[in-house]
Amino acid sequence: MNRRFEYIHSFIDSAGGYDGWGAALAADFDGDGRPEYVTGGKGGGFYHLYDYMPNSASWRKIVITNSFSPNVGAAAVDVDGDGRPELVCGEWGDRLFWVVAAPGREDFGSCHAVYKGLDDPHDVLAGDIDGDGADEVIVREKNGRLMYFRIPPDPAGPWHPVIIDSGLEGDGTAVACLSGRKGLDIVTNRGWYENVNGDGTRWKKHPLVPEHIDWHPESRLVPADIDGDGKVEIVISESEISNARLAVLKQQAPGSPWKEEILIEANEDFRALHSLQVVDLDNDGKPEIFTAEMENGKTDGVVKKPRWLCLSRSDGGEWERHVILDINLGTHTAVAADYDGDGIPEIVGKVWRANRINGNNGRNHVDWVKPLFIK
């Protein structure tokens, strides 16, 4: 192994319990200059915040709420104008919530249901859609509608959706500036949506993934300038299937599908690449691609054991692959961030649902993977 990509693993939570862990992200909720990691889900309903404590070199868990069951996606947005982010997520149900996640606030853990009428709100993200400098909240239902919400002056609600597409197969959504206008465009695995007027009032759908590669509709995707040419590429993975692929898509002439460079082929039989990040992991000024396999029966912990891996580019432009964790622990929507404040990103992930046989005695877990040799 290239020692730049040698990592050490530790459990943040090895007895997590519950079920269907989702709604994961990293943001500085407490204002200490370092991001915290949050995740929540089913099995009775929970949302937890995990905060790294430098003085003790340990993590503490704070229960945000047990009042509902967050779905897969979540966003960090300053909803109430206090200068710190709140959590916005859908539930396993039909409501959209925002939640106060700053531990020092008197109303910490308060949950505000601001819209009712969703159907499996799988993807939730934030971005400035109308170009006014403030974020809107984008929601995509799994196999359903794509919409966004402007946060009203009274954020307690109700919020009102603007429908962009009334029926969209699968999941996997991001925002990016592809058209060059003031408001962001929206990227999905089924095409990207041009914000025609730059204010969210009119949308034009363009092709993205070429039809001939028959990409699975459930995927993760990240817009990024992966090759340093000043243009945005789309990194995309198949997130729920065996023989999962990973590719980089490069923009072509307007109206044409993007050109694919497949970095992980189907015949390699990676399973459910549901984590995808583009981040400079080795501190060399160039981005790497991080991905990892799930548990949840996608791997079995016996014949197919889940791995975490990173893809980097050599100085000659060739892609190189590095397995950074191979101890029979899968992950789901893992997030790279500088949790300990040393200036170098680590990776925190949690399982969606544990395999019966895994590296944690068949239990759910939250994991911290930290580089050993990067300075």
Side-chain angles (χ1 to χ4, degrees):
M1 173 188 285
N2 186 321
R3 300 206 85 181
R4 292 181 304 150
F5 301 107
E6 191 169 342
Y7 284 72
I8 186 169
H9 167 271
S10 59
F11 286 114
I12 296 174
D13 192 342
S14 61
Y18 294 103
D19 184 40
W21 289 57
L25 59 84
D28 183 8
F29 294 103
D30 62 10
D32 67 355
R34 291 179 292 102
E36 293 76 51
Y37 178 82
V38 297
T39 180
K42 299 188 285 187
F46 73 100
Y47 222 141
H48 293 166
L49 180 147
Y50 296 92
D51 188 12
Y52 183 76
M53 311 300 290
N55 291 339
S56 60
S58 62
W59 292 79
R60 64 170 177 164
K61 178 174 76 174
I62 301 172
V63 177
I64 301 172
T65 185
N66 294 108
S67 63
F68 73 102
S69 297
N71 205 300
V72 172
V77 189
D78 184 5
V79 171
D80 58 8
D82 70 342
R84 294 185 187 177
E86 284 72 49
L87 285 167
V88 182
C89 66
E91 67 170 345
W92 290 100
D94 61 359
R95 294 175 295 174
L96 183 70
F97 285 87
W98 66 269
V99 181
V100 176
R105 280 181 48 164
E106 290 184 2
D107 59 346
F108 172 72
S110 60
C111 303
H112 305 263
V114 291
Y115 179 72
K116 183 178 175 65
L118 297 172
D119 183 6
D120 196 356
H122 188 278
D123 298 344
V124 178
L125 55 155
D128 184 5
I129 295 298
D130 58 12
D132 67 352
D135 282 345
E136 283 70 50
V137 173
I138 301 99
V139 176
R140 179 178 174 187
E141 299 168 326
K142 192 181 188 80
N143 298 317
R145 297 172 297 172
L146 174 65
M147 68 192 81
Y148 74 91
F149 295 83
R150 289 187 175 91
I151 300 171
D154 178 2
W159 296 13
H160 301 287
V162 178
I163 306 299
I164 299 169
D165 196 319
S166 60
L168 196 58
E169 184 183 14
D171 56 69
T173 313
V175 291
C177 183
L178 300 179
S179 60
R181 298 185 178 90
K182 60 179 181 177
L184 292 172
D185 306 297
I186 296 176
V187 186
T188 81
N189 53 338
R190 310 315 266 175
W192 72 274
Y193 292 78
E194 179 185 357
N195 191 349
V196 176
N197 297 326
D199 60 3
T201 58
R202 191 160 71 91
W203 299 87
K204 181 179 180 181
K205 187 178 180 181
H206 298 275
L208 181 70
V209 183
E211 289 187 7
H212 70 87
I213 64 174
D214 191 26
W215 205 262
H216 194 271
E218 293 175 293
S219 55
R220 300 288 87 197
L221 54 86
V222 179
D225 179 8
I226 199 71
D227 56 9
D229 66 354
K231 300 176 182 178
V232 175
E233 289 81 44
I234 305 297
V235 184
I236 186 168
S237 66
E238 292 174 310
S239 61
E240 291 285 352
I241 60 171
S242 302
N243 306 108
R245 295 170 292 174
L246 185 148
V248 175
L249 305 174
K250 293 185 70 71
Q251 194 164 12
Q252 303 298 297
S256 300
W258 293 30
K259 182 175 177 59
E260 81 280 2
E261 179 185 8
I262 296 181
L263 306 185
I264 295 178
E265 298 277 1
N267 60 12
E268 299 181 73
D269 196 21
F270 281 87
R271 305 287 182 91
L273 298 174
H274 208 297
S275 292
L276 187 64
Q277 299 269 279
V278 176
V279 62
D280 182 7
L281 289 173
D282 62 352
N283 209 29
D284 68 348
K286 297 183 295 185
E288 284 77 46
I289 299 170
F290 165 78
T291 191
E293 297 174 290
M294 286 177 62
E295 295 185 35
N296 191 36
K298 309 295 184 178
T299 54
D300 62 9
V302 180
V303 177
K304 293 295 293 186
K305 297 179 180 180
R307 295 153 291 174
W308 302 29
L309 64 152
C310 151
L311 292 86
S312 66
R313 277 195 122 121
S314 69
D315 292 339
E318 296 83 16
W319 286 101
E320 299 174 341
R321 194 177 299 176
H322 316 272
V323 176
I324 63 175
L325 192 70
D326 189 4
I327 57 173
N328 206 9
L329 296 171
T331 194
H332 179 269
T333 59
V335 183
D338 182 12
Y339 296 96
D340 62 5
D342 68 354
I344 300 167
E346 307 89 50
I347 303 166
V348 172
K350 46 76 193 171
V351 74
W352 168 256
R353 181 177 294 124
N355 285 337
R356 186 177 60 84
I357 298 172
N358 71 3
N360 189 39
N361 297 314
R363 297 176 300 181
N364 291 334
H365 48 91
V366 183
D367 308 273
W368 186 36
V369 177
K370 181 176 173 60
L372 280 177
F373 293 99
I374 300 170
K375 303 297 183 184

